Amino acid sequence: MQDRYRAASDVPKASPVPGYNAASHMIVYVGTTTGQGRAEGIGVFRMDDGTGALTHLQTVQAANPTFLWIHPSGRYLYAATRGSVGGADGDTPRSFIEAFAIDPSQKTLTAINRQSSGGQSPAYVSVHPTGRCVFAANYTSGHVASLPVKADGSLGEAATVILHEGRSVDARRQEGPHAHFIQADPTGERVFACDLGCDKVFIYRVDPDKATLTPNEVPYGQLSSGAGPRHLSFHPNGRLIFVINEMDSTLSSFAYDASRGAMEIHDTRSTVPEGYAERTHTAQVVTHPNGRFVYGSNRGHDSIAIFGIDQERGKLTPLGHEPTQGKVPRNFNIDPTGT
């Protein structure tokens, strides 16, 4: 198995983020898939900043809290959840964005409220940099939504719900829209939504005070047919965007014109080694805080693909693969030290 990967020692080490204070970044919140024989909800852990070891503090029950996002204030956490809610008509599938308060000293979670995600099967949740609104991407139905955040961290009903339109070349997986990601750009003026079913990154203007979304003058960035864009990551310089494509296992880099909200493709590279022919799909993409590296996860090849970044031209240089020590790595993140 070792020949499938380049050794980690062969890859240039990433430098820590200047000015980082480890004492304020010691808690890890983990989203899970729940159900019989599986996890029970959101896991809360304390991280040893020296070794990376995790100590379990709490599990908060929630139905499939598969993606999480912390409010800029650090006081609240939001989760994309989907499951069944009992009632007179029996168990009915429901899709929510749920709000939790973070205890200021213990960092444990307490449920506040939940609202409809505006569609079916939310795959992603994020918070605007101002903290005034939350965004949801609903994979099954293809809807994106924006919800207001109240003063106590609770969520109001969705102010905007938009159904993406389009399809692409794969009749089974791209028969219609499948929104998989939604997040504001570093300026907070626009919101980007990856749609696997349409091979597009839809772009919206946002009014955080009203929690509303409207189509951008440049309405989308285009990926190649059958690519299946899943997630994206903004470079710290604000001039580059990296999009990971689930279906063809590639990573694409774009120049970003923040004045217009426009994306121009620069480079696309495979996330798996040349000649690898087994079934595999990508999942998450993360840019290192120092701006020198970008990483993507392979589900099937079961690795993290490592790329160097030409920060002026946006070109990607493959640097190898690191095994994830487990199967089907869905999401991952870099600790705040960058190490």
Side-chain angles (χ1 to χ4, degrees), residues 223-224 227-234 241-254 265-272 282-287 293-298 304-309 314-321 332:
L223 279 299
S224 61
R230 179 183 173 101
H231 282 188
L232 67 76
S233 178
F234 295 97
I241 293 174
F242 304 101
V243 178
I244 198 159
N245 302 302
E246 175 175 333
M247 295 178 61
D248 68 0
S249 295
T250 61
L251 180 68
S252 298
S253 69
F254 290 80
I265 195 162
H266 271 331
D267 197 11
T268 296
R269 299 297 183 106
S270 174
T271 62
V272 293
T282 64
Q284 178 73 303
V285 57
V286 176
T287 307
F293 308 101
V294 62
Y295 306 88
S297 59
N298 291 305
I304 303 295
I306 308 162
F307 297 89
I309 302 168
K315 295 295 182 180
L316 300 170
T317 301
L319 297 177
H321 299 81
F332 67 96

Side-chain angles (χ1 to χ4, degrees), residues 14-276:
S15 58
V17 180
Y20 168 73
N21 179 8
S24 63
H25 294 78
M26 295 295 294
I27 301 297
V28 178
Y29 298 94
V30 181
T32 63
T33 299
T34 60
Q36 188 174 5
R38 295 181 175 179
E40 296 180 356
I42 302 170
V44 184
F45 299 84
R46 179 182 294 112
M47 187 181 79
D48 184 315
D49 63 306
T51 66
L54 300 176
T55 301
H56 180 253
L57 300 179
Q58 181 192 29
T59 295
V60 180
Q61 291 197 344
N64 296 301
T66 53
F67 209 89
L68 315 175
W69 198 278
I70 296 175
H71 190 274
S73 69
R75 298 169 57 192
Y76 312 110
L77 178 144
Y78 299 93
T81 66
R82 56 186 184 271
S84 297
V85 177
D89 299 326
D91 286 344
T92 304
R94 299 289 178 86
S95 297
F96 296 106
I97 302 299
E98 302 197 28
F100 297 85
I102 299 176
D103 183 273
S105 59
Q106 300 299 316
K107 305 303 182 183
T108 51
L109 301 176
T110 302
I112 302 175
N113 79 329
R114 62 186 179 186
Q115 294 285 358
S116 169
S117 66
Q120 296 177 325
S121 302
Y124 201 92
V125 61
S126 66
V127 184
H128 190 269
T130 63
R132 296 172 187 159
C133 57
V134 164
F135 309 112
N138 294 276
Y139 179 82
T140 298
S141 64
H143 292 85
V144 295
S146 53
L147 299 83
V149 175
K150 299 180 181 180
D152 63 354
S154 64
L155 294 168
E157 293 184 1
T160 302
V161 177
I162 298 172
L163 175 61
H164 287 170
E165 295 182 1
R167 63 181 64 188
S168 194
V169 295
D170 190 305
R172 184 176 67 88
R173 298 200 60 198
Q174 295 182 309
E175 81 297 343
H178 293 296
H180 218 311
F181 169 99
I182 185 166
Q183 186 178 321
D185 73 356
T187 72
E189 294 181 4
R190 293 176 177 84
V191 168
F192 287 67
C194 295
D195 196 298
L196 180 146
C198 303
D199 285 327
K200 292 177 179 177
V201 177
F202 289 92
I203 309 169
Y204 299 97
R205 282 195 168 273
V206 58
D207 182 335
D209 293 327
K210 297 179 180 178
T212 54
L213 298 173
T214 54
N216 188 51
E217 297 87 342
V218 181
Y220 59 83
Q222 184 69 56
L223 279 299
S224 61
S225 296
R230 179 183 173 101
H231 282 188
L232 67 76
S233 178
F234 295 97
H235 191 276
N237 67 18
R239 301 191 304 271
L240 297 172
I241 293 174
F242 304 101
V243 178
I244 198 159
N245 302 302
E246 175 175 333
M247 295 178 61
D248 68 0
S249 295
T250 61
L251 180 68
S252 298
S253 69
F254 290 80
Y256 178 45
D257 181 350
S259 66
R260 299 188 303 125
M263 304 167 59
E264 179 183 357
I265 195 162
H266 271 331
D267 197 11
T268 296
R269 299 297 183 106
S270 174
T271 62
V272 293
E274 184 177 357
Y276 184 80

